[in-house]
Structures are given as structure tokens and as C-alpha cells.
Amino acid sequence: MSDHLQGQCLCGAVRLAFQQERPGIDACHCKMCQQWAGAPLLTLRGIKPEAMTLTGEEHITRYVSSGWAERAFCNRCGSGLWYHFKPGNHICFLAGLFDLPEEYAMREQIFIDEKPGYYSFADRAPAKTGAEVIAEAEAEGFSFD
């Protein structure tokens, strides 16, 4: 199953489209995502940057948030746009930018060990600790130096 998705920021200055091969939502509970989004970061599974169509590039500000990640937002309305995992060169788009089909479900939760106690998802998607996520990425050859 593959879904052609189109989304935009709050003000519409940035528009993007891509083909999602593995439909579903991922949740990141790491402290950095919580600070950036004000809650867990809910994203669509990543794609390679060259696989997206983008308009409004002049309204995008990129922020290097760590040695392996870059985050982007619209500099007109402030909407978060994506998380770019640089070692794997894939982008995870914020789910709220898109009108998604009702059947989309949560696929995975990561950094579950950093999730605060004041919220919980009813969906029982697989959950991984930060150490498990990093170990998997390193096993695939990614470096976090």
C-alpha cells in the first residue's frame, strides 16, 4: 500500500508532497522532541529528501539540533515541518501537516523511557527505549558521534 500525501504549514507558505510507502504514525518521546513540539513528536515514517516535492523553500528555517539531526519549521507561521535524521538521510514529517486517512495507526513509539507520566496513548504500538533505538541505528552502521 502506498499513499500520495500532500500537506502544508498553518499559513500555507510551505507545501509538500510525497509518496508514503509504509503508512502509519510514529511517536518520539525524547526530551528534545518534547521541547520542540511541546508534546511527543508525531511523525510520518521517513523518506529520502529527494523523494519529496516542496514549495515555499524561502519560508523554511532549518535548525541543527544535534550532531545527527536537523529540524525544520516555517519562518512565517512557526509550524514545525520535519525531523531530518542525517546519518540515514531520511525525513520524518510532522503528522499534523496532512489530512490523513482514518485507518492510519501508530506504528511505533521511541524513547519511551523519556515519556513523562502525564500522558498515555491508548494505541499499543511497539515501544523502544532510547538505548534500543540507538543500538538499532548503530547496528545499521549509523554513528552518533
Side-chain angles (χ1 to χ4, degrees):
M1 180 169 135
S2 176
D3 288 330
H4 180 73
L5 299 175
Q6 296 181 18
Q8 67 180 43
C9 65
L10 185 62
C11 71
V14 178
R15 296 177 186 270
L16 41 96
F18 66 96
Q19 203 70 19
Q20 187 179 33
E21 298 300 324
R22 300 181 315 183
I25 305 294
D26 293 330
C28 182
H29 302 281
C30 80
K31 298 288 185 198
M32 196 175 298
C33 282
Q34 289 178 52
Q35 282 186 302
W36 187 49
L41 190 65
L42 301 177
T43 64
L44 300 174
R45 189 61 60 108
I47 65 157
K48 299 290 184 185
E50 58 273 9
M52 73 173 165
T53 303
L54 178 67
T55 59
E57 177 76 38
E58 68 275 15
H59 300 293
I60 297 172
T61 297
R62 290 169 171 80
Y63 172 69
V64 177
S65 57
S66 68
W68 62 86
E70 172 187 87
R71 297 164 193 268
F73 63 93
C74 173
N75 58 34
R76 277 186 60 190
C77 67
S79 294
L81 300 171
W82 65 71
Y83 170 91
H84 180 192
F85 180 64
K86 294 189 300 185
N89 193 32
H90 67 266
I91 293 177
C92 298
F93 297 96
L94 276 68
L97 301 172
F98 304 88
D99 289 326
L100 299 172
E102 285 297 316
E103 63 270 10
Y104 266 49
M106 190 168 300
R107 296 176 42 92
E108 182 176 63
Q109 296 183 60
I110 61 172
F111 288 87
I112 196 71
D113 51 322
E114 295 184 29
K115 183 188 87 56
Y118 56 78
Y119 70 82
S120 178
F121 293 129
D123 195 326
R124 296 292 176 214
K128 298 176 185 170
T129 66
E132 291 169 328
V133 172
I134 291 169
E136 282 181 6
E138 288 174 338
E140 292 180 25
F142 301 126
S143 174
F144 290 88
D145 297 331

